[in-house]
Amino acid sequence: MPIALHVAASIPLFKDFDEATLAKVAGLMSSRSYLSHDIVMRKGEIADSLGFLLNGKLQVVDLSEEGREIGIHFILPGAYFGELSVIDGQPRSASVISVKLSEVAFLPSNHARDLIFHHPLIAKRLMTHFAQIVRAASNQRTLLSIPNAFQRVFAQLQTFVRESKDGQVIEGLPKQHEIAIMVNTSRETVSRAIHTLMKMNVLEKKGTILIVKRPEKLKQVATVGMDEGENNKT
Amino acid sequence: MPIALHVAASIPLFKDFDEATLAKVAGLMSSRSYLSHDIVMRKGEIADSLGFLLNGKLQVVDLSEEGREIGIHFILPGAYFGELSVIDGQPRSASVISVKLSEVAFLPSNHARDLIFHHPLIAKRLMTHFAQIVRAASNQRTLLSIPNAFQRVFAQLQTFVRESKDGQVIEGLPKQHEIAIMVNTSRETVSRAIHTLMKMNVLEKKGTILIVKRPEKLKQVATVGMDEGENNKT
């Protein structure tokens, strides 16, 4: 099913496009619906298109060597995905599955490449996005070099902190075993580290959100670790 | 000192540029020499230029939270560097130092951005480069999720393997403590893992190069681990 002009206009990557370009792009795209657990893109396949999530929710998943599923991140409405293979022509680096009823628009690879390399606006947006990913990967490498596992958990938690109207919060905290993989420790250590911060009144659980009650303290334990005596289990 | 047309022409990022564009770019660039240990770019500074190493050798370095130096990677002649800040306008993510007498050419940020976003050839090259970095970061995350430390070392070694005229080899192996940081284990574990592979005749040291004598075996221990009994210390 081709997509309507106003739908294309709602995609952030196309923001500020003139109407003629937008109409042309919309005419090249097609959309499809996916039920929960459907596979939208499959790791190892050759890229035939760039995807855009119109509504619903997707997850990028990869399998570890032992076949365990590693949930990399979620794709939310408005986002594009599958750009790596469109750009470099290599097979898909991960699979994408739908986690609920979702509608996805696709732009064929050859047209996507035209758009990506020939439109300065798009080139800039994609490269800025890549720059953020590369910076995050670099920060993660620095974080992983912290020898103390508790401090690695604290530093990882610090990266999740966002400003909200209620002050600093952590929303959508990944599962403990996911954090454990990110910072290379056991789930038990993640659990103990978070519990320690709650005991110290640095974090407070409020429904699905963690309130950072003492932002300065979290920053301190993330950057220089915990004082002797604050927690003698580290 | 401005740079000569033939010097600009030798920079891989500018390959296949027409002479007029190349002459214009060369006229906008300037070059500088650095002695060993000089700082070429400083973490946290605002980007004023995109760098190109003409000759010599540079190293991208970052500091861990405790002030330990983390050598990220080397920059070899022909390569560009400092592109993240030029693209996203954020401060430099790491410092760059010269490790021997080096000559660097700089293109001011505003001209570099013009080039990056408005030349499809350059946009494509930069994005392909970013795609490789993002894929490598994603593979590294998968690697780090391997629970067994020995196997993580094997998987990391596997990523260093290159084809050469002598078959599969590992050239420029990072130091053991650097590999230890990459795969989040101790230097001693890295040492034991490499030693085990040598005992099994999978690897053989030849000067500064490691010859992969049994590529299939390395692949096997990297992907499914070592059989019980092959090494009872794991």
Side-chain angles (χ1 to χ4, degrees), chain B residues 141-192:
Chain B
R141 199 165 30 207
T142 306
L143 190 157
L144 280 169
S145 77
I146 299 173
N148 181 285
F150 255 47
Q151 195 187 332
R152 286 203 299 281
V153 178
F154 301 150
Q156 186 69 60
L157 290 173
Q158 178 76 51
T159 70
F160 298 142
V161 173
R162 295 290 170 265
E163 288 293 338
S164 82
K165 56 179 172 36
D166 302 323
Q168 294 196 0
V169 298
I170 297 175
E171 287 181 281
L173 184 73
K175 298 203 176 88
Q176 291 185 350
H177 81 267
E178 290 172 338
I179 298 175
I181 289 173
M182 290 176 195
V183 303
N184 231 51
T185 188
S186 64
R187 196 202 57 75
E188 289 69 25
T189 302
V190 174
S191 171
R192 282 202 294 129

Side-chain angles (χ1 to χ4, degrees), chain A:
Chain A
M1 202 170 77
I3 75 166
L5 186 62
H6 76 273
V7 175
S10 73
I11 294 174
L13 187 62
F14 302 148
K15 192 167 177 286
D16 301 327
F17 255 28
D18 59 278
E19 194 151 331
T21 311
L22 203 56
K24 194 183 150 201
V25 172
L28 296 167
M29 295 175 84
S30 58
S31 76
R32 246 197 85 174
S33 291
Y34 293 89
L35 300 175
S36 182
H37 299 297
D38 276 355
I39 295 181
V40 182
M41 281 181 185
R42 204 181 287 270
K43 180 174 178 169
E45 282 183 351
I46 295 300
D48 56 357
S49 60
L50 181 64
F52 298 86
L53 181 60
L54 300 180
N55 52 64
K57 190 176 184 182
L58 308 177
Q59 186 173 21
V60 182
V61 291
D62 198 3
L63 292 181
S64 71
E65 300 291 0
E66 310 88 56
R68 283 186 298 117
E69 200 175 85
I70 305 172
I72 298 183
H73 65 268
F74 291 108
I75 296 169
L76 301 177
Y80 56 86
F81 60 95
E83 72 280 12
L84 291 186
S85 298
V86 169
I87 289 168
D88 68 11
Q90 298 295 307
R92 299 287 188 199
S93 60
S95 294
V96 176
I97 58 168
S98 57
V99 294
K100 62 179 179 185
L101 181 63
S102 299
E103 198 187 356
V104 178
F106 294 99
L107 179 64
S109 287
N110 53 337
H111 296 300
R113 273 190 289 268
D114 270 357
L115 204 63
I116 289 171
F117 301 137
H118 290 81
H119 274 267
L121 198 64
I122 304 287
K124 184 175 181 177
R125 283 175 187 159
L126 249 97
M127 283 200 236
T128 303
H129 172 66
F130 278 135
Q132 285 166 352
I133 296 176
V134 173
R135 283 178 188 272
S138 164
N139 290 340
Q140 195 65 23
R141 197 166 30 205
T142 305
L143 190 158
L144 280 169
S145 77
I146 298 173
N148 181 286
F150 256 47
Q151 194 187 331
R152 287 202 299 279
V153 178
F154 300 151
Q156 186 70 60
L157 291 173
Q158 178 74 50
T159 70
F160 298 142
V161 173
R162 296 287 171 268
E163 289 293 339
S164 82
K165 56 178 172 37
D166 302 324
Q168 293 196 0
V169 299
I170 297 175
E171 287 180 282
L173 184 73
K175 298 203 175 88
Q176 292 186 348
H177 81 267
E178 290 172 339
I179 299 175
I181 289 174
M182 292 176 193
V183 304
N184 232 53
T185 188
S186 64
R187 196 203 58 75
E188 289 70 25
T189 301
V190 174
S191 171
R192 282 204 294 129
I194 293 176
H195 197 73
T196 301
L197 293 180
M198 288 179 172
K199 273 201 308 193
M200 289 167 66
N201 204 32
V202 174
L203 295 181
E204 186 182 66
K205 212 173 149 80
K206 203 171 173 181
T208 60
I209 293 175
L210 283 174
I211 312 280
V212 184
K213 312 246 316 186
R214 298 169 63 197
E216 280 310 310
K217 188 68 193 174
L218 179 58
K219 199 174 169 187
Q220 187 202 326
V221 297
T223 46
V224 298
M226 215 168 250
D227 295 340
E228 292 280 327
E230 281 188 300
N231 187 290
N232 52 20
K233 287 185 200 159
T234 58

